[in-house]
Amino acid sequence: MKKNTVLCESMNLNVKGMPLSATLNINEKSNEMIKQGKKVYKLGLGQAPFPVPKPVIETLKENAHRKDYLPVKGLHELREAVAKYYKKSQNLDFSADDILIGPGSKELMFILQVVFYGELLLPAPSWVSYAPQAKILGKKTVWIDTYEENDWLLMPEDLENYCKKNPNTPRVIILNYPNNPTGKTYPEKLLKELAYAARKQGILVLSDEIYGELNHKGNHVSIARFYPEGTIISSGLSKWCGAGGWRLGTFAFPKNLKWLLDGMATVASETFTSVSAPIQFASIRAFNFDDEINTYLKHSRRILKALGNYIYKNFNSVGIKVPQPDGAFYFLPNFSQLKDSLAKRDITTSSRLCETILQETGVAFLPGSDFGRDEKELTTRIAYVDFDGEQALAAAYEIKDDLNESFLRKYCANTVTAVDKICEWVKP
Ligand code: GLU
């Protein structure tokens, strides 16, 4: 019989063999194990633990009847609210015309890579999806190494040293801070130096500030303040507003990059059309950042800071190295100091390490190799989000003092237990 060429595997070679994104894969695997009756501590997917603030939910309900397609670039009032937010929070001058709304910043990043012709530079480690997006498009990714002694932050000289070799290549670098997977952020001085290097080398910066509002001290600074003409700021509702599943992302462009915004809008118009109408109306309420939302954020940060500090102390006390966290809800725990005892347990790669800990303790987390680190390095990533954020927030609102360990044991129990289990597991 003639072979049916439609039904036999005829796949784009860029995609062939690629697994599901690591973060979503570990989530599905964890849920599957839970369904089979196993106890799993979910430190794999970085999903915000806190609920969507009440006024934002109310606004969504009030707008459920909105059924029309909205403008491709996003609802004007929402784009205006986002522009105003950047004026208030960073003193940056955007207007509604400079903002693009998408179904999650992840999709906007992919479309940026479709439209921008050039190399993708990534500090190693970086979030799991930037490089696979480039791979899907058959584009080149260049990893620039970072070092633990610098808290895994990109050093401007390392960026320059790479770019100097081939000065006339168009390039975009993605800088993410507070950082996923490390929890660190760039101090202002380093941001200025990176801005200087990027300007000198003509590099476009995609500044992924999705965790900006989750800087534990609430004092996030954008690199766009120092390199406004070359920076696109990426953000969205997923992390600070607890609305990952709502899928709403924002890009803010300087005026001189209008060609890029327009190119992306063309691709948007041929792909996702426009973002869900009720979600856009509700997002206006979120981006207004009134007192109620600011209070919600203040307490979210307090909880993350207290929990981050607990993990920082406990991991370091058993030889799992992590730097003091600045923001977001991640760590890049480094087990390298324990290399010899792990080798005796037949563990020599980060994926084997995570696999074994999952099997033996039920704690699900990700290997550093998913974030661009060497397999053999024994770095990993945890997302400290396995707790009921609604209950934790309600309790935190009532407590004036620092949130102590008994608060964490009561309201962030799964995460605390998971961390204790890892600490116990590494003991000889
Ligand atoms: N940013 C989250 C993480 O790193 C998950 C969201 C996603 O990968 O789409 O775990």
Side-chain angles (χ1 to χ4, degrees):
M1 205 167 67
K2 194 170 166 285
K3 223 172 155 189
N4 186 330
T5 50
V6 177
L7 294 182
C8 78
E9 200 173 285
S10 165
M11 195 165 187
N12 178 336
L13 289 182
N14 293 334
V15 182
K16 198 174 172 136
M18 279 178 84
L20 275 193
S21 178
T23 48
L24 303 168
N25 207 12
I26 189 78
N27 191 43
E28 293 187 9
K29 185 171 168 180
S30 307
N31 289 342
E32 193 48 47
M33 288 173 73
I34 292 168
K35 235 200 237 160
Q36 289 163 8
K38 297 189 179 121
K39 173 74 191 161
V40 178
Y41 299 88
K42 293 178 69 181
L43 308 192
L45 177 70
Q47 165 157 285
F50 305 111
V52 178
K54 285 201 183 76
V56 182
I57 295 196
E58 284 312 313
T59 318
L60 180 63
K61 285 185 190 162
E62 285 156 20
N63 285 283
H65 64 284
R66 306 266 183 191
K67 60 177 240 327
D68 289 350
Y69 293 114
L70 294 183
V72 174
K73 289 179 183 173
L75 188 63
H76 186 82
E77 295 89 315
L78 173 59
R79 297 169 77 204
E80 208 162 58
V82 174
K84 278 195 187 137
Y85 158 69
Y86 283 121
K87 182 70 191 170
K88 212 159 54 176
S89 62
Q90 299 292 329
N91 198 23
L92 289 167
D93 290 311
F94 293 109
S95 70
D97 289 345
D98 307 322
I99 310 296
L100 181 62
I101 307 297
S105 55
K106 191 174 187 174
E107 188 64 24
L108 291 177
M109 287 169 189
F110 184 69
I111 292 183
L112 174 73
Q113 294 210 49
V114 171
V115 176
F116 178 77
Y117 176 82
E119 262 177 14
L120 173 68
L121 307 185
L122 293 179
S126 276
W127 177 52
V128 295
S129 286
Y130 307 136
Q133 289 190 345
K135 186 171 182 293
I136 289 169
L137 294 168
K139 294 177 75 147
K140 186 174 166 196
T141 297
V142 176
W143 290 96
I144 303 180
D145 213 356
T146 68
Y147 303 93
E148 189 169 33
E149 60 268 30
N150 298 328
D151 289 343
W152 309 106
L153 294 170
L154 177 68
M155 292 295 115
E157 54 274 22
D158 292 329
L159 175 61
E160 282 219 65
N161 285 342
Y162 171 74
C163 295
K164 269 195 310 212
K165 286 186 224 147
N166 243 322
N168 294 319
T169 312
R171 299 186 167 105
V172 56
I173 185 161
I174 306 184
L175 291 180
N176 167 228
Y177 53 100
N179 184 264
N180 174 6
T182 69
K184 294 305 292 180
T185 198
Y186 288 93
E188 205 168 308
K189 180 170 173 289
L190 203 46
L191 279 183
K192 284 183 181 158
E193 290 167 5
L194 283 166
Y196 179 83
R199 178 178 286 124
K200 194 163 143 203
Q201 300 297 331
I203 309 166
L204 174 67
V205 174
L206 177 63
S207 186
D208 181 353
E209 301 179 26
I210 192 99
Y211 302 100
E213 288 297 337
L214 294 183
N215 176 310
H216 294 172
K217 291 193 180 135
N219 60 0
H220 175 70
V221 175
S222 171
I223 193 172
R225 288 200 202 173
F226 315 117
Y227 185 36
E229 77 282 16
T231 303
I232 301 168
I233 307 178
S234 171
S235 193
L237 288 193
S238 299
K239 309 301 177 179
W240 65 264
C241 196
W246 285 24
R247 309 311 299 134
L248 186 121
T250 63
F251 266 23
F253 294 77
K255 303 255 179 267
N256 53 300
L257 294 181
K258 189 170 184 307
W259 57 272
L260 202 46
L261 192 167
D262 287 344
M264 286 180 63
T266 300
V267 179
S269 75
E270 300 292 10
T271 51
F272 67 77
T273 303
S274 61
V275 173
S276 152
I279 297 288
Q280 290 203 57
F281 278 93
S283 302
I284 300 172
R285 184 73 173 80
F287 275 100
N288 280 340
F289 278 90
D290 59 17
D291 287 350
E292 203 168 337
I293 291 183
N294 279 320
T295 307
Y296 158 93
L297 272 173
K298 185 177 98 185
H299 293 293
S300 304
R301 291 181 194 122
R302 281 175 79 209
I303 296 168
L304 293 176
K305 186 172 170 199
L307 188 53
N309 281 334
Y310 175 84
I311 299 170
Y312 164 73
K313 279 194 214 120
N314 282 274
F315 273 169
N316 281 308
S317 74
V318 295
I320 303 170
K321 272 185 87 183
V322 284
Q324 180 107 43
D326 296 320
F329 32 66
Y330 302 108
F331 277 111
L332 188 81
N334 188 353
F335 291 68
S336 297
Q337 281 185 160
L338 309 166
K339 192 162 102 234
D340 295 341
S341 65
L342 291 174
K344 285 189 199 127
R345 294 159 92 163
D346 210 20
I347 295 169
T348 55
T349 64
S350 55
S351 43
R352 174 114 176 121
L353 175 62
C354 290
E355 207 34 68
T356 314
I357 294 183
L358 175 60
Q359 293 314 326
E360 295 181 9
T361 70
V363 181
F365 61 131
L366 288 170
S369 52
D370 284 334
F371 297 79
R373 300 304 302 175
D374 190 298
E375 267 256 287
K376 296 218 149 50
E377 186 181 68
L378 302 184
T379 45
T380 58
R381 187 200 78 166
I382 65 156
Y384 46 98
V385 295
D386 190 356
F387 59 93
D388 183 334
E390 191 160 1
Q391 280 185 17
L393 266 184
Y397 271 68
E398 302 303 321
I399 301 172
K400 292 248 168 339
D401 303 332
D402 281 350
L403 303 176
N404 58 20
E405 193 174 317
S406 63
F407 174 92
L408 298 174
R409 289 206 175 274
K410 182 158 180 199
Y411 294 104
C412 307
N414 264 357
T415 299
V416 169
T417 307
V419 167
D420 292 350
K421 277 181 178 285
I422 296 176
C423 291
E424 198 52 45
W425 184 88
V426 295
K427 281 188 191 150

